[in-house]
Amino acid sequence: MKILVVGGGGREHALAWKLAQSKRCTRLYAAPGNPGSATVGECVDIAADDLDGLLTFAKAESVGLTVIGPEQPLVNGIVDAFRAEGLRVFGPSREAAQAEGSKAWCKAIMMHASMPTAEHQAFDSAADALRYIDNHEEPLVVKASGLAAGKGVFVCRSQDEARRAVRTIMNDGAFGEAGSTVVIEERLSGEEASILALVDDTTIYSLESSQDHKPALDNDEGPNTGGMGAYSPAPVVTKGIQKQIDREVLVPMVHGMKTAGAPYNGLLYAGIMVTAGGPKVLEFNCRFGDPEAQPLLMRLRSDLVEVLEATIDNRLDEITLDWDRRPAVCVVMASGGYPGPYEKGVEITGLEAASRMDDVVVFHAGTRAEDGKIVTSGGRVLGVTALGDDINAARDRAYEAVSAIHFHRAHWRTDIGAKAIRRLG
């Protein structure tokens, strides 16, 4: 079977790497892919948001399975377009992708289902949003309702910070049309976790837990990013917490979306805050997390092609996933200045040395090939991912691999996995 992976980031390299291992895969394409994807398949120069170009390519090459990595093409309706042409594609429909594409729509579903989540209000007017802030002295979170590449969330410690966030989103247009509506909600306290689940018409199958690290700096300080690292499993998600999330979050959300005329088929990602009062929903996403996909796919032993096809065909009840019991840690190496302005075209060295290490995979995110070299081309450059016998060993191995890689002004957090280590004692 020919397989097409849409997207060019670290998540898509990880998906391509795992899919290429399947006995069902005869040829793998990545559009547009990156130098990492090129080591396991063939990159084709089609942008992830070029729906017509992707559809034409998939038909011409008789692609048997297309896997959509990023959220934008899903929100734009790529799955609907492919299915209308009789092509097999993994991901939710345009309507169902509103779970990520519109935080206001998603919050309405959550509230209707009485789901545990933060109290909130949505605003189409900056003036109304600012008046709401004036009447709320408690810490708030301000979010652009639309897609903002993981950067449209402002965790505010004061009313002044919340006001600045509203002005940045709505008056300055920092996120374009994605910021035409803002959601303002109470700031929850606790420890975050990422719960990814496969969903078909009758079954919800939760994957192993993971934890992302959104802020740019150690100790969860600095501005939010697309994610600076992740590990799996996340000890904060006990068996009891997982059952509670399945029962109080995933089942009501999937049922609520079906009732709203947006039945879900694909990968549903719940961002959870584990509070003193139990798990509460921060957000939903409609695709694999990035960088959570990297440690999860390192640990998955099952054939991913078979898993995704079972989801498409509503056969999830026939699947049992096999996991490597060893934990995995992914450390993101970013360009200096990210998530603000950063330099591109900086040569990266040490990739081969890091990749030769046992149980280490260096997933490319923001890279490109230039004159026989690999250079930086994005904010998040690499996702250095390692397995270990325990979380300490996985973390040590990941950082050992990071130390072998060099590029000017490379930046990474030094505390990925530290929460798990503290929790495990």
Side-chain angles (χ1 to χ4, degrees), residues 189-251:
S189 297
E191 187 172 339
E192 291 190 38
S194 301
I195 303 299
L196 280 62
L198 295 161
V199 179
D200 70 10
D201 282 356
T202 61
T203 304
I204 301 170
Y205 196 132
S206 294
L207 308 187
E208 290 276 287
S209 63
S210 57
Q211 185 177 88
D212 187 14
H213 298 66
K214 286 288 188 185
L217 307 176
D218 285 0
N219 302 313
D220 289 335
E221 297 180 354
N224 261 14
T225 70
M228 292 298 295
Y231 61 84
S232 171
V236 68
V237 183
T238 63
K239 289 183 179 179
I241 291 291
Q242 181 65 62
K243 288 180 180 178
Q244 195 174 353
I245 292 168
D246 290 342
R247 181 178 65 250
E248 299 179 9
V249 174
L250 294 176
V251 169

Side-chain angles (χ1 to χ4, degrees), residues 369-418:
E370 183 178 280
D371 299 327
K373 302 174 181 177
I374 304 298
V375 301
T376 64
S377 67
R380 293 189 295 167
V381 178
L382 302 167
V384 183
T385 309
L387 290 162
D389 290 337
D390 56 29
I391 189 70
N392 281 286
R395 185 172 183 269
D396 288 347
R397 184 162 294 166
Y399 279 110
E400 182 183 355
V402 165
S403 69
I405 301 170
H406 305 280
F407 56 92
H408 181 59
R409 293 194 67 206
H411 162 68
W412 60 89
R413 283 182 55 160
T414 65
D415 61 347
I416 307 301

Side-chain angles (χ1 to χ4, degrees), residues 16 46 62-63 69 88 143 182 190 200 246 275 285 355 391 394 414 418:
I46 306 174
S62 299
V63 170
R88 292 175 65 76
K143 302 178 177 180
V182 296
D200 70 10
D246 290 342
T275 73
N285 295 322
S355 297
I391 189 70
T414 65

Side-chain angles (χ1 to χ4, degrees), residues 29-40:
Y29 301 105
N34 60 42
S37 308
T39 65
V40 295

Side-chain angles (χ1 to χ4, degrees), residues 262-347:
Y264 205 92
N265 184 289
L267 193 290
L268 184 63
Y269 166 143
I272 300 291
M273 182 71 80
V274 182
T275 73
K280 294 190 176 183
V281 184
L282 296 171
E283 63 180 1
F284 282 98
N285 295 322
C286 61
R287 37 66 190 179
F288 281 92
D290 189 350
E292 295 98 328
Q294 289 85 311
L296 281 170
L297 292 173
M298 280 279 283
R299 295 186 59 220
L300 181 65
R301 287 176 166 167
S302 301
D303 186 322
L304 184 59
V305 173
E306 294 181 356
V307 172
L308 301 188
E309 288 214 296
T311 307
I312 294 170
D313 295 334
N314 296 309
R315 295 185 291 104
L316 264 179
D317 58 345
E318 301 175 6
I319 293 293
T320 300
L321 298 182
D322 181 22
W323 296 95
D324 191 322
R325 301 318 303 169
R326 295 176 297 169
V329 173
C330 172
V331 178
V332 170
M333 299 183 72
S335 296
Y338 174 79
Y342 52 84
E343 185 180 3
K344 297 181 181 180
V346 179
E347 183 180 0

